[in-house]
Amino acid sequence: MGRVSAALTAAGVRDWLQRFATAVDEHAGELTDLDRPIGDSDHGVNLQRGTHAVLAALDAADPATPGAALVKAGSTLVSTVGGASGPLFGTLLRRTGKALGDADPVDAAALAAGLRAGLDAVTALGGAQVGEATLVDALAPAVEALEAGGSAQEAAGAAERGAASTDDLVARKGRASYLGERGIGHRDPGAVSIALLFAALAGSTAEDGS
Amino acid sequence: MHVPTKLLDDPADAVTDALRGLAAVHPELTVDLEHHVVSRNHDHHGDHRPGKVGLVSGGGSGHEPLHAGFVGLGMLDAAACGAVFTSPVPDQVLAATTAASSGGGVVHVVKNYTGDVLNFQMAAELADDEDIAVETVLVDDDVAVTDSLYTAGRRGTGGTLFVEKVLGAAAEQGMALADVAALGRDVVARSRSFGVALSPCTTPGSDRPGFDLEPGEMELGIGIHGEPGRRRVPVPATGVAREVARVSVAAIADDVPLDGEELLLLVNGMGGTPLLELQVLAGDVVTELTGRGARIARALVGNHVTSLEMAGAMVSVCRATPQLLQLWDAPVRTPALRWGA
């Protein structure tokens, strides 16, 4: 179940990001609590502001292709979230969308390749590598799972495990890095949000009936 | 039941309402309530000069008077005000850049926080698309961060004030874009800060403080959101100001030589410490600095780069040159800093 090969349409991207927005609403308090000891306790509310703006922007623009929908979603996140999360989450979606081009619908291999382009853009922008307790710790294994032919469900599992792995890491990027060893035992909120993004993708594609 | 302890109308509108208030009492400023951008109203004083390098800064709100309070003659041309403790988005920074542009290019003064760096970087690319030349001066004056290779690097804190004042004067005197930027990088290289928190702060709309600091503890080496630097220690039973002065000046002196230096000094409150206490601290800081062979050329004491109502203070120094002192003394007329104009 949950094969992305169900093929993603523009409406599918809308459904995916609707599920992401719902998950962010449900977990906003948790994300903020995770951000409190290591950041400045606004990750949940900032991301909420962004995902609600994304849904409004998609409804207004009604993009024709999955690529166009992701580009619109990404640029909306950049324009509404602020902090480090806006540029990073926004760049992920925007660059993924650009890599998808005009393809419609998008198959699993193309989505994996698109997300790889998004991941590469995020690491180029933020400079973080796997193991530095950032969202990259969830994003990289999820993209690798899709590249290996795994389902969206498997990618979501990989993201979830990646987010959990940040518990024991010393952050070397972002505001959490100032805690040094004191940051051990804290899960990175950005990595948790990425896990929610892939869980939303799994939920969306699972109901496509593949 | 939630009992309000903050003087707000609606916590969700705190930044907008604050900017509306700023606009109400400062007709010499233009306040864009849509983008949360404050800029100089050039028509008001007829001081608009085509070709003058524009000076733009910005960041999360909650650090008032930084940055909006430093917009005006001899300092910033525009400031982009983000949500509380959240950097502005690229559209806001672009709007500030456009407002500040009169053809001579624009300098972005950016505090080294990941969010600020990324958003200003994206805004600089957007400005380039509109043929506005942008140079960026990254402020990273905070000596509390000792392992910059393994962190996001030294933060931009109190030294930002030195950069904005000196570059504002330089731009006013007609210095060219590349020279203003180079001067800015030199001021950053000459500036060092170290901060201490005695209590956390609570962001508007939140029901608890941003971090836990038990009574009797203080956090040494904070950034401007209370984020940690070096360590947490007990507050001494007596001589608290002397101890904060000793630790702060020692941290700075470990990083740069102070002996024989002429200093610009900023003893900066974090928002929740009264001026009386800051003056006690200033006396102790001057004793520490002169004891290390430095001379205080100019000093400012007060709340300039704050963290909402956080109690605590930050010591910032800039090792001056005759040129820097001349630019520091040049006229400035802004809501929060004014002399000679």
Side-chain angles (χ1 to χ4, degrees):
Chain A
M1 60 155 269
R3 289 277 160 195
V4 185
S5 53
L8 203 57
T9 60
V13 170
R14 171 77 173 69
D15 181 65
W16 171 17
L17 297 177
Q18 168 76 63
R19 288 167 185 271
F20 179 51
T22 304
V24 170
D25 283 344
E26 284 168 1
H27 294 273
E30 177 196 329
L31 291 173
T32 289
D33 284 346
L34 288 173
D35 197 25
R36 211 172 73 88
I38 60 171
D40 55 5
S41 48
D42 60 2
H43 183 59
V45 68
N46 283 345
L47 208 52
Q48 251 184 318
R49 185 168 64 233
T51 51
H52 285 269
V54 163
L55 297 181
L58 290 180
D59 289 345
D62 196 22
T65 63
L70 284 168
V71 167
K72 185 74 194 170
S75 53
T76 304
L77 286 179
V78 170
S79 300
T80 52
V81 176
S85 301
L88 294 172
F89 277 78
T91 294
L92 170 64
L93 297 190
R94 199 169 64 81
R95 295 296 282 270
T96 298
K98 280 183 79 156
L100 295 181
D102 296 331
D104 184 22
V106 171
D107 67 19
L111 181 61
L115 285 164
R116 164 61 64 181
L119 168 61
D120 288 347
V122 164
T123 51
L125 186 63
Q129 301 298 324
V130 168
E132 297 186 325
T134 72
L135 62 85
V136 172
D137 287 311
L139 180 56
V143 172
E144 283 158 14
L146 291 176
E147 285 175 330
S151 66
Q153 194 68 53
E154 284 161 346
E160 176 81 40
R161 287 189 298 279
S165 77
T166 64
D167 290 1
D168 301 321
L169 294 173
V170 176
R172 294 193 161 183
K173 289 285 184 292
R175 228 176 265 179
S177 62
Y178 302 119
L179 275 162
E181 304 260 321
R182 282 195 281 172
I184 293 177
H186 293 296
R187 188 165 300 186
D188 180 67
V192 174
S193 305
I194 288 289
L196 294 178
L197 181 68
F198 280 89
L201 177 67
S204 182
T205 53
E207 290 194 5
D208 283 349
S210 64
Chain B
M1 195 189 80
H2 177 68
V3 181
T5 54
K6 287 184 184 285
L7 196 57
L8 298 168
D9 292 321
D10 182 343
D13 294 332
V15 176
T16 310
D17 290 347
L19 291 175
R20 192 173 282 124
L22 188 74
V25 297
H26 287 286
E28 74 278 18
L29 299 178
T30 298
V31 179
D32 172 350
L33 289 175
E34 184 200 346
H35 290 102
H36 287 183
V37 166
V38 176
S39 57
R40 282 168 70 175
N41 180 356
H42 291 291
D43 296 337
H44 192 80
H45 293 291
D47 58 4
H48 178 66
R49 293 212 313 280
K52 183 186 105 59
V53 168
L55 193 60
V56 168
S57 193
S61 295
H63 307 302
E64 288 69 24
L66 188 78
H67 296 273
F70 298 136
V71 175
L73 175 78
M75 225 163 155
L76 298 178
D77 292 283
C81 309
V84 173
F85 292 172
T86 301
S87 68
V89 302
D91 309 22
Q92 290 177 271
V93 179
L94 179 64
T97 305
T98 306
S101 170
S102 8
V106 173
V107 172
H108 285 174
V109 178
V110 184
K111 302 187 299 306
N112 188 32
Y113 277 97
T114 306
D116 292 293
V117 171
L118 295 183
N119 285 286
F120 272 86
Q121 183 184 326
M122 291 182 142
E125 288 169 19
L126 295 172
D128 186 60
D129 292 346
E130 299 194 4
D131 292 326
I132 300 174
V134 171
E135 289 263 7
T136 299
V137 173
L138 192 65
V139 185
D140 59 349
D141 56 313
D142 174 13
V143 300
V145 179
T146 49
D147 47 357
S148 295
L149 273 181
Y150 304 108
T151 64
R154 288 183 170 189
R155 299 165 290 221
T157 56
T160 312
L161 177 78
F162 300 139
V163 177
E164 292 181 359
K165 172 66 186 79
V166 169
L167 297 200
E172 215 70 64
Q173 293 177 7
M175 194 181 277
L177 178 64
D179 297 331
V180 176
L183 177 66
R185 288 170 197 131
D186 184 50
V187 177
V188 172
R190 294 175 167 280
S191 299
R192 297 289 189 280
S193 295
F194 189 89
V196 173
L198 292 159
S199 81
C201 63
T202 302
T203 56
S206 174
D207 55 3
R208 53 181 181 151
F211 62 103
D212 299 311
L213 192 57
E214 298 301 323
E217 290 182 332
M218 59 184 182
E219 179 84 37
L220 303 183
I222 52 157
I224 54 175
H225 317 86
E227 70 276 17
R230 292 191 171 174
R231 62 191 192 278
R232 184 166 290 188
V233 299
V235 179
T238 61
V240 178
R242 263 196 305 277
E243 178 64 5
V244 169
R246 187 188 69 75
V247 169
S248 303
V249 173
I252 290 169
D254 279 350
D255 201 73
V256 289
L258 295 174
D259 190 16
E261 295 290 336
E262 272 207 307
L263 301 178
L264 297 174
L265 169 65
L266 169 63
V267 176
N268 176 56
M270 302 309 300
T273 294
L275 193 52
L276 182 139
E277 295 171 31
L278 294 177
Q279 284 168 339
V280 172
L281 176 63
D284 292 332
V285 166
V286 170
T287 302
E288 288 286 335
L289 288 171
T290 51
R292 290 172 185 269
R295 198 175 77 76
I296 313 302
R298 307 284 187 276
L300 271 184
V301 179
N303 290 293
H304 293 93
V305 184
T306 62
S307 185
L308 294 170
E309 80 282 26
M310 190 162 87
M314 177 171 283
V315 176
S316 300
V317 302
C318 177
R319 296 184 298 155
T321 63
Q323 182 200 20
L324 290 191
L325 289 180
Q326 178 259 322
L327 292 167
W328 180 260
D329 289 341
V332 59
R333 186 172 65 230
T334 70
L337 203 64
R338 59 173 62 206
W339 57 69

